[in-house]
Amino acid sequence: MKTSAESTFATTVEHHFKTSDRRDFLKMAGTGVVAAGMLSSTSEVLAATPNKNTALPNGADNFYTSDKLTVQKVTFKNQYQMTVEGSLFVPKTLDRKKRHPAIVVGHPMGAVKEQSANLYATKMAEQGFVTLSVDLAFWGGSAGQPRNAVSPDMYAETFSAAVDFLSSQTFVDRQQIGAIGVCGSGSFVISAAKIDPRMKAIATVSMYDMGAANRDALNHSQTLEQRKQIIAAAAEQRLAEFNGGAVQYTGGTVLALAADTHPIQREFYDFYRTPRGEVTPKGASSRTTTMPTLTSNVKFMNFYPFNDIETISPRPMLFITGDQAHSKEFSELAFKLAAEPKELHVVPGAGHVDLYDRVPLIPFDKLTSFFSKHFVTPSAA
């Protein structure tokens, strides 16, 4: 039998995702949000259980590990003295007396490093690169309050802090550090690279421009009036929280499927709410994973990562997307606006989430050749 809090929570969640499914799930509606206060006294009751009945798609291997590498949990400070947590992957055969190319990897928006980023870091380390997956500020093991807050500048700062850390390693060539951003991190790494020339080669995979996605939704399906309603709701909630109200969340991945659940939400659910990719960080609630705070999510309205993207040149850029990806428009636009050298690589038969973890579809050979082309062989220490 459900408790009163649990019933209220379920009703709120159901209303939220039915309203936010219209047109595209990226309609960040100001209604139907999740109150954190409900979770504080009933966290065990409300802890979501991953759906174990969902079969993994062919080749899905998000939690892949390799016996060819050493993996070390690391922490370091960003420029604002906030702790960043990462996982450092080093090939066991690496000659640590020489300096080697390195790559930092950022996870999808709302995820943590254990979701997709570790997989990319592992696979690229198997190719001989030193790699570092990181939790963005406010997510996973990295610092920042409130949890799940949106701050595009701090997300970009996480990439630069990762470059700081890699540059300090005696076996890393600081002149050969690249970056991979998956989904939302694709836009964050572009934002970082525009003002951090130490990132010598930049690749994005299934990129989302989180600014455009929130301002306009997919295919520009959100009106200006709807945008203003979202901003107004966030402002009202900000005052409510200032006066002691519970933190509320918006967007993210649905907690359960219904007959009318949007196909895009189903795509994300299959990754984030099943054993395929479900991760609940220590101290977090599985009921709010992937969900940004409502009041901070409007920060994306002021996020324009593609402005001045051409200034990254002559550093090379690679944009990878699936030909079936609902997010393909963002990679195509970034490629159009970027200056040479640049590449757009379209994966046949791949959707957006497919490139998170479906190893046979992910073009690791293309990523390897891209970074190898623009990096040279290890140099003497």
Side-chain angles (χ1 to χ4, degrees):
M1 183 175 180
K2 290 183 178 180
T3 65
S4 174
E6 190 174 6
S7 296
T8 303
F9 182 91
T11 300
T12 303
V13 169
E14 179 182 14
H15 173 66
H16 165 51
F17 287 115
K18 282 186 177 180
T19 56
S20 65
D21 262 355
R22 68 186 185 277
R23 290 200 180 118
D24 290 298
F25 85 99
L26 281 167
K27 297 284 193 240
M28 301 297 186
T31 58
V33 290
V34 182
M38 296 180 190
L39 300 175
S40 59
S41 60
T42 56
S43 58
E44 291 186 8
V45 175
L46 296 179
T49 301
N51 186 342
K52 296 182 179 180
N53 296 323
T54 302
L56 268 61
N58 181 41
D61 202 1
N62 178 68
F63 299 106
Y64 172 78
T65 59
S66 174
D67 59 7
K68 300 176 183 178
L69 314 173
T70 61
V71 185
Q72 179 185 359
K73 175 184 173 181
V74 297
T75 58
F76 47 92
K77 298 293 187 180
N78 67 15
Q79 193 175 44
Y80 302 94
Q81 297 306 299
M82 297 167 60
T83 297
V84 177
E85 182 176 291
S87 293
L88 181 67
F89 299 79
V90 181
K92 289 181 178 179
T93 58
L94 189 92
D95 184 352
R96 292 181 180 242
K97 295 181 180 179
K98 296 182 178 180
R99 297 186 182 273
H100 302 264
I103 302 170
V104 55
V105 186
H107 57 75
M109 175 60 203
V112 291
K113 63 183 178 298
E114 290 79 10
Q115 293 166 311
S116 192
N118 274 2
L119 172 61
Y120 275 77
T122 299
K123 287 292 187 178
M124 296 307 292
E126 285 186 330
Q127 299 303 313
F129 298 98
V130 175
T131 61
L132 174 67
S133 64
V134 289
D135 283 326
L136 298 177
F138 307 101
W139 298 89
S142 291
Q145 294 290 338
R147 303 309 294 164
N148 297 22
V150 167
S151 177
D153 283 349
M154 295 306 297
Y155 296 165
E157 166 62 20
T158 301
F159 279 94
S160 288
V163 174
D164 291 336
F165 173 81
L166 287 172
S167 298
S168 71
Q169 305 305 300
T170 58
F171 50 86
V172 169
D173 186 341
R174 59 183 297 184
Q175 299 302 321
Q176 298 190 80
I177 297 177
I180 298 173
V182 181
C183 187
S185 275
S187 58
F188 308 144
V189 73
I190 289 173
S191 179
K194 288 190 296 184
I195 56 173
D196 193 337
R198 299 174 302 167
M199 299 178 201
K200 303 300 185 182
I202 299 92
T204 71
V205 182
S206 286
M207 178 174 56
Y208 254 86
D209 174 349
M210 294 305 302
N214 280 269
R215 285 188 299 274
D216 306 317
L218 296 176
N219 302 312
H220 295 267
S221 57
Q222 181 167 275
T223 67
L224 176 59
E225 183 57 34
Q226 288 172 321
R227 184 195 307 178
K228 289 182 177 180
Q229 291 173 1
I230 293 168
I231 294 170
E236 286 298 313
Q237 178 58 26
R238 177 172 178 145
L239 181 59
E241 292 178 15
F242 180 81
N243 289 324
V247 174
Q248 294 188 345
Y249 300 85
T250 188
T253 303
V254 295
L255 300 175
L257 297 178
D260 60 348
T261 301
H262 194 284
I264 295 176
Q265 272 288 9
R266 289 178 179 274
E267 186 180 359
F268 283 107
Y269 178 93
D270 188 52
F271 182 81
Y272 288 112
R273 304 298 183 206
T274 76
R276 174 183 172 187
E278 194 277 337
V279 174
T280 301
K282 183 179 179 181
S285 166
S286 57
R287 288 281 177 168
T288 56
T289 57
T290 77
M291 301 178 185
T293 61
L294 174 64
T295 57
S296 71
N297 199 63
V298 292
K299 304 294 186 185
F300 279 137
M301 300 290 186
N302 275 342
F303 182 48
Y304 294 85
F306 296 170
N307 283 8
D308 300 323
I309 189 175
E310 71 279 3
T311 63
I312 294 175
S313 177
R315 289 171 289 154
M317 301 192 72
L318 170 64
F319 307 98
I320 297 174
T321 185
D323 68 351
Q324 304 300 312
H326 64 263
S327 58
K328 184 170 64 170
E329 61 181 282
F330 301 125
S331 293
E332 291 176 333
L333 179 58
F335 173 74
K336 178 181 178 181
L337 296 175
E340 295 288 353
K342 60 182 179 180
E343 296 181 67
L344 176 65
H345 184 82
V346 181
V347 181
H352 176 86
V353 175
D354 287 333
L355 298 182
Y356 283 13
D357 68 334
R358 292 185 65 187
V359 174
L361 286 176
I362 299 172
F364 287 113
D365 55 345
K366 181 62 179 178
L367 285 164
T368 300
S369 64
F370 170 74
F371 285 107
S372 297
K373 175 182 178 181
H374 298 289
F375 292 155
V376 297
T377 55
S379 57

